Amino acid sequence: MTVHQHAVEVRAFARYLRDLAVLLDPGRGWYGVFCARDPAGMRACFEGSEVPPWDVVESLLQDLAAVRGAGQAAEESVRAAALFAASAAAHDGRPGGRQALADRLDMMLREQSDAVRRLGDADGESDALAWARDDHARATARCVELRDRLAAVERTVPVPDPWFRGQDGADVPTVSAPRRGKPRGARFAGLDTGDEAEADPVPSPGPGLPAAPAPAAAPRGARFRGAPAEVAPAPSAPEPDDPAAHRAAGDVVAQLVRLRAEGRSGEAHVVLCEAAAWPAGRLPVLAAALRGAGLEADRATLLWEMSSLTPAELAAAAGALAAAGLADDCGQLLRLGVARPAAEVADAVVALDRAGLEAEARALLEAFVRVRTPQEAARIAEGGPRHLVPRLLAAAREVSATRERDLVHALRVAGVAAP
């Protein structure tokens, strides 16, 4: 596809968004939220310099349904999806597109981690909890979308291997990339990065927040492998005195420092993905090394990648972190795990129990019940009601009496008997 064709595809979708926005009220609904929270990002999408996340387009179509009816919104959804796909492919295929996607994925992983933290801090059924749920659902959906777009680019654009082995066996970078600024237009719908909006004032949304949508569909791709439950091994003992573990952790820290200094965040993310698959006993050493080097964002990304391990591996990693005294890291790892499908969370709970990690199993269930809907929580119990129902209800009780009552109802509707 030529540069001109790239521009045509992007302009066509931008024009479609402008036409859609004309039908909506910038002071109401999700469009009002987007205009109030990220006016600069919305302008960038209307101008064609950014492609909005698909969840934003879906929300605009929800607003259209309220104005023009569900039938027209459904018809527009088909057209929007086709234009979006073409625009995203053209945008990503431009020079530097792959690196821009990697940078944005890196940032969105941090957004997701922050949303998990705010979920844990929110009270009961407050507005803060509703917004945190929405932020988490959107961040999760965007991570999936960005990974899919990265995979599509890598299938069509040759990417040189950024590493070769030096004579001493060390990894030596073969390419360098310029430092890039933070992507714009990523804060839609309140993914609160703490940045101030850089734009002229726009009308605020009308009274009352729009209802937060249901959590995004379960992530696809290599990170969520959907492996069946396995009998969890005993928790791997941490290796605080293992020289090899410390050398490996030191090498990773040195690589990350170098890559971050050169603005090569995509390659840094690859390093962390590979490190997440280390033996569980070495992971606490690496987490501590990252924290000691001041690489807190990279530590958070490592935990996110660890959260995609198979249930048995997740149990071993959580056990190793807990045994090493890294309770905060262990808790964050388990909270990140709630993005997985309910069946996989059920497998992880069983694996944690079999590994003797009952406290960690309770923490995972409580995080899931707090973040996901009662209907999704009820699905956790389907594979083993006798064992899981009492634990689910206990977790819901820790959240609130209302959440426990809603879960009991969801279990009955699902045909799962509560004790």
Side-chain angles (χ1 to χ4, degrees):
M1 188 180 287
T2 67
V3 173
H4 174 69
Q5 288 172 312
H6 280 142
V8 168
E9 303 285 3
V10 172
R11 284 201 302 268
F13 185 54
R15 183 169 55 252
Y16 173 81
L17 289 176
R18 292 195 298 271
D19 292 344
L20 176 60
V22 168
L23 304 176
L24 308 177
D25 183 349
R28 297 178 62 84
W30 282 115
Y31 183 39
V33 174
F34 302 151
C35 288
R37 294 199 171 199
D38 192 7
M42 290 303 297
R43 267 207 312 276
C45 295
F46 292 149
E47 294 167 357
S49 57
E50 289 285 352
V51 178
W54 175 247
D55 67 273
V56 169
V57 182
E58 286 184 315
S59 294
L60 294 179
L61 291 169
Q62 287 180 23
D63 288 350
L64 180 65
V67 176
R68 296 296 181 93
Q72 181 172 341
E75 292 176 3
E76 288 298 325
S77 178
V78 175
R79 182 182 175 205
L83 290 169
F84 171 85
S87 177
H91 189 273
D92 300 343
R94 298 183 302 182
R98 178 183 178 277
Q99 183 64 42
L101 285 172
D103 290 343
R104 176 148 308 173
L105 176 59
D106 198 43
M107 181 178 66
M108 196 50 58
L109 288 166
R110 294 183 178 87
E111 299 280 4
Q112 186 180 52
S113 179
D114 180 68
V116 170
R117 177 189 58 75
R118 289 188 288 112
L119 282 167
D121 294 341
D123 296 325
E125 298 299 320
S126 64
D127 286 345
L129 179 59
W131 279 119
R133 284 177 180 161
D134 180 62
D135 290 350
H136 181 266
R138 290 181 186 274
T140 299
R142 292 172 195 183
C143 287
V144 175
E145 178 186 317
L146 289 167
R147 285 193 178 89
D148 287 346
R149 288 167 62 179
L150 265 172
V153 170
E154 289 168 353
R155 283 195 298 269
T156 57
V157 179
V159 179
D161 186 352
W163 302 98
F164 69 88
R165 288 285 177 185
Q167 292 183 348
D168 58 355
D171 287 325
V172 181
T174 62
V175 296
S176 62
R179 182 184 296 274
R180 287 170 172 79
K182 184 177 180 180
R184 292 191 308 151
R187 292 184 56 232
F188 293 104
L191 291 178
D192 190 3
T193 63
D195 299 334
E196 296 181 2
E198 41 169 301
D200 299 328
V202 295
S204 299
L209 299 175
R220 304 183 304 276
R223 290 193 66 259
F224 291 87
R225 288 170 281 183
E230 307 157 30
V231 176
S236 299
E239 305 178 5
D241 300 321
D242 180 1
H246 284 279
R247 281 196 302 271
D251 289 344
V252 167
V253 168
Q255 286 183 27
L256 292 172
V257 168
R258 181 175 66 250
L259 292 170
R260 294 297 184 195
E262 296 172 359
R264 296 158 65 184
S265 60
E267 292 168 40
H269 188 79
V270 171
V271 171
L272 290 165
C273 290
E274 293 174 347
W278 284 5
R282 291 192 171 191
L283 293 172
V285 178
L286 177 55
L290 292 171
R291 173 167 282 159
L295 299 175
E296 284 294 329
D298 287 322
R299 183 190 61 82
T301 300
L302 174 69
L303 292 172
W304 164 246
E305 291 300 330
M306 289 164 58
S307 73
S308 71
L309 297 170
T310 65
E313 292 168 339
L314 178 65
L321 290 169
L326 301 179
D328 290 345
D329 289 346
C330 179
Q332 185 175 350
L333 171 62
L334 295 172
R335 289 191 296 273
L336 289 169
V338 303
R340 303 173 72 145
E344 291 187 19
V345 173
D347 290 343
V349 169
V350 172
L352 287 164
D353 280 336
R354 288 175 176 170
L357 301 169
E358 294 182 1
E360 286 73 20
R362 284 196 303 272
L364 177 56
L365 280 176
E366 183 175 336
F368 191 96
V369 169
R370 183 181 296 277
V371 175
R372 306 285 285 271
T373 66
Q375 293 73 27
E376 289 169 318
R379 286 200 287 272
I380 288 181
E382 292 176 357
R386 183 183 298 274
H387 174 70
L388 292 171
V389 167
R391 311 202 64 178
L392 274 168
L393 292 174
R397 198 174 303 124
E398 288 296 318
V399 175
S400 70
T402 300
R403 184 50 56 91
E404 181 185 12
R405 185 171 61 251
D406 291 345
L407 178 57
V408 169
H409 177 71
L411 288 168
R412 288 173 180 161
V413 171
V416 180

